[in-house]
Amino acid sequence: MAGFTVYDWAVLLGYFALLAGTGYAFSLRRQRDADDYFLAARSMPGWAVAFSVLATSQSAATFIGAPESAYAGDLTYMSANIGQFTAALIVAFIFIPAFYRQRVTTLYELLETRFGTPSKLAASWMFMVGRLFASGARLFMGSLAMSMVLFGEVDARTVALAIGVTTFIGIAYTFVGGIRSIIYTDVIQTVVYVGAAVAAMIVLLRLIPADTTQLLDAMRDADKLTWLRTGFEDDWPRQTFTLWTALLGFTLLNLGFYGTDQDGMQRMLTCRSGAHASRSMIGAMLLGVPVTLLFMVVGLLLWALYTQPGLAGDALGAPPDRKLEIFLHFIMTRMPPGVRGLMMAGLIAAALSSLNSALNAMSSAFVNDVFRPMRRDLSPAAQVWVGRAGVLVFGVLLGGFAMFCYFWQQRGAIPLINFALLVMVFAYSGLVGVFLVVLLTRRGNNISAIAGLLTGFIVTLVHQPYVFQSLTPEAWHVYALAFPWQMVVATGAAFLVCFAGSPRPSADTMSS
């Protein structure tokens, strides 16, 4: 592996200096209370929120996983954007107005208004567990890059050390500035990681002597340009990216992130009004499509460079054995000095953008849903310090789960982008099922809501290959479902369980 040069370190250290400078600037602004720390007093501009939503939703999973997906397969991951747009419209016109009408600090206060405190607490804890899963997976992916930069290799020891370094940086930054600093830093980090992808595409095009027509013909012959599959084949239950998984599974999955996940929704709650938040939501989706496509194109060019000698010209040597390292391998071995540092800064920016917001969101849920109701006598300043303590605790937990993800992903040999999405299903299926009951029906109660949350988690767990195969006869193993279909089945089960509960009598009915 080619090592970092002084130019690469200069670029990378410059990036960290920029983060430190913005962190210091926001530390000078006193956080008056928990609402200011977690919601920025609902004063954030919509354009900044849109960039922050984009940065959080993509993260290291897109930076590493999207090129890996295109390199090893085709462009069908892009079809997931159909579900993303569908979910964005539902969240913008149904979820966000409901949250702003209730003036909630966390999403789960809406369940308290409808059902009572127990369901709010259950949903909040389910979010915190699910966010540990999802953000731990993203932290693991970002630490792959840090491992390669610091140690020139990727194994359990180096990944553990890289996770520790990345987690420390994320905790330190989030601890000081709150959600306001996170949103503005996300804007900077979005520019950095998109710029890194553009730089990668330019370098790849210069390394490949073939013209555009030759490249497109080769990709078309190899079926690399397919972006939509109908999903009518015999093995449709095991296909991840098809028209039907986009319309069903990915719509529900994105409803989970943007509509029921405090991390996804928190930055929308910092806008001046529900209308501003809805516009930010849709703006983030429009920005996300070309950015994702950019990373997919990088993967296609990597395929041409490493597997098509007739297109690539000079031999580059064998690509890494594990496809998940293909983009990192290219960055470390073929990028010019200085540009290599920019690429790693982009990847670390993608990792930190999702880590920072996750820490703030989990601490927000704990402080507002769990701690404040028990200690209503706490001063506003004390609430801020409890929030910061939550950032520290959740940071340590995230680091531990990220290390667990290293062994989980290795055992299953799951593509990175699939792994990042799969872990979300555990919590999102129950949350989406319960929130749909709340927003679309008049049914449900505390008991059925809690049962619905647990049902979604358990049904998802049962459908994992290592559990499904141990519980069913071998002849049934061919019916194992891809994770978008797991989301459909688990969300449907959670919805039905929550819907089965009879609504509690209103106060007027009880008094009469």
Side-chain angles (χ1 to χ4, degrees):
M1 303 293 293
F4 255 35
T5 67
V6 64
Y7 303 106
D8 298 315
W9 283 114
V11 172
L12 197 58
L13 291 175
Y15 163 71
F16 283 122
L18 179 62
L19 283 187
T22 54
Y24 175 74
F26 282 107
S27 71
L28 299 177
R29 181 187 177 107
R30 184 172 176 268
Q31 308 293 332
R32 296 186 301 273
D33 53 30
D35 287 341
D36 194 18
Y37 186 70
F38 292 124
L39 293 182
R42 301 186 192 269
S43 62
M44 296 305 299
W47 66 266
V49 171
F51 273 91
S52 184
V53 172
L54 172 65
T56 302
S57 64
Q58 295 200 328
S59 73
T62 301
F63 198 104
I64 302 177
E68 178 210 10
S69 178
Y71 174 85
D74 49 32
L75 298 179
T76 48
Y77 173 63
M78 290 299 299
S79 64
N81 285 286
I82 298 172
Q84 197 170 40
F85 268 111
T86 305
L89 293 175
I90 295 172
V91 170
F93 293 107
I94 297 178
F95 283 64
I96 289 176
F99 294 139
Y100 268 84
R101 281 195 300 271
Q102 296 294 329
R103 300 291 293 178
V104 299
T105 301
T106 73
L107 315 186
Y108 315 111
E109 294 169 15
L110 190 66
L111 299 185
E112 183 177 35
T113 302
R114 174 70 174 271
F115 299 140
T117 301
S119 59
K120 179 193 76 170
L121 290 174
S124 189
W125 280 111
M126 181 63 73
F127 153 72
M128 287 183 269
V129 171
R131 184 41 49 192
L132 278 176
F133 277 38
S135 294
R138 283 157 175 72
L139 176 57
F140 147 65
M141 294 176 199
S143 297
L144 294 176
M146 185 73 80
S147 174
M148 195 164 283
V149 170
L150 295 177
F151 310 106
E153 59 182 345
V154 176
D155 58 30
R157 177 185 63 85
T158 61
V159 169
L161 292 172
I163 287 172
V165 172
T166 309
T167 303
F168 175 79
I169 295 171
I171 290 174
Y173 196 88
T174 310
F175 189 88
V176 175
I179 190 66
R180 184 179 285 104
S181 67
I182 289 171
I183 288 175
Y184 280 121
T185 304
D186 280 348
V187 175
I188 297 171
Q189 295 185 147
T190 300
V191 173
V192 171
Y193 84 76
V194 172
V198 171
M201 187 173 69
I202 292 172
V203 172
L204 280 162
L205 288 172
R206 288 183 175 179
L207 287 173
I208 301 173
D211 60 34
T212 304
T213 302
Q214 289 176 298
L215 280 173
L216 291 175
D217 288 343
M219 292 173 185
R220 192 177 296 109
D221 292 342
D223 202 26
K224 302 291 288 183
L225 299 181
T226 301
W227 74 274
L228 183 64
R229 298 187 187 278
T230 58
F232 294 129
E233 293 81 358
D234 292 339
D235 63 341
W236 65 266
R238 297 186 296 281
Q239 292 186 24
T240 302
F241 301 111
T242 69
L243 175 61
W244 294 106
T245 59
L247 291 172
L248 299 173
F250 281 104
T251 295
L252 294 174
L253 193 66
N254 283 286
L255 278 180
F257 178 71
Y258 296 112
T260 72
D261 186 312
Q262 178 69 9
D263 186 20
M265 178 57 71
Q266 184 175 2
R267 59 226 341 100
M268 260 87 81
L269 295 178
T270 66
C271 291
R272 296 182 179 91
S273 68
H276 285 87
S278 297
R279 287 196 291 269
S280 297
M281 170 89 250
I282 296 173
M285 296 304 100
L286 294 175
L287 288 170
V289 174
V291 172
T292 302
L293 181 59
L294 176 62
F295 282 98
M296 299 294 287
V297 170
V298 167
L300 291 178
L301 294 175
L302 287 170
W303 170 82
L305 189 69
Y306 283 104
T307 69
Q308 303 297 305
L311 298 174
D314 297 337
L316 296 178
D321 293 334
R322 295 193 301 170
K323 293 182 177 63
L324 66 87
E325 296 175 16
I326 186 63
F327 194 21
L328 296 178
H329 175 83
F330 170 76
I331 292 171
M332 296 300 291
T333 58
R334 301 296 297 182
M335 277 293 181
V339 181
R340 183 187 296 121
L342 172 65
M343 296 300 300
M344 285 304 180
L347 180 47
I348 294 169
L352 287 177
S353 65
S354 56
L355 175 61
N356 294 346
S357 62
L359 292 176
N360 190 275
M362 287 189 288
S363 182
S364 172
F366 177 77
V367 170
N368 290 290
D369 293 337
V370 179
F371 194 82
R372 277 213 294 193
M374 296 189 300
R375 293 292 305 275
R376 298 183 183 277
D377 58 330
L378 278 183
S379 67
Q383 293 174 15
V384 172
W385 279 105
V386 172
R388 288 173 172 163
V391 166
L392 179 61
V393 172
F394 283 115
V396 173
L397 293 175
L398 267 178
F401 189 78
M403 195 63 225
F404 173 74
C405 285
Y406 173 82
F407 298 103
W408 185 2
Q409 195 274 339
Q410 290 267 4
R411 178 181 178 183
I414 307 169
L416 282 182
I417 201 73
N418 292 34
F419 182 75
L421 297 170
L422 163 65
V423 295
M424 296 180 182
V425 179
F426 284 90
Y428 287 175
S429 53
L431 286 169
V432 173
V434 170
F435 268 91
L436 288 177
V437 170
V438 170
L439 294 171
L440 302 180
T441 80
R442 297 181 180 275
R443 300 281 303 176
N445 54 45
N446 265 318
I447 295 175
S448 70
I450 295 171
L453 293 169
L454 293 174
T455 297
F457 189 95
I458 293 170
V459 171
T460 303
L461 180 63
V462 168
H463 279 89
Q464 300 315 298
Y466 41 84
V467 178
F468 185 76
Q469 292 174 9
S470 65
L471 295 178
T472 60
E474 185 174 355
W476 290 19
H477 294 177
V478 295
Y479 300 110
L481 298 177
F483 73 84
W485 292 115
Q486 294 176 24
M487 184 72 191
V488 173
V489 173
T491 301
F495 178 91
L496 292 175
V497 169
C498 184
F499 184 83
S502 299
R504 67 178 185 176
S506 66
D508 293 340
T509 302
M510 294 176 66
S511 62
S512 62

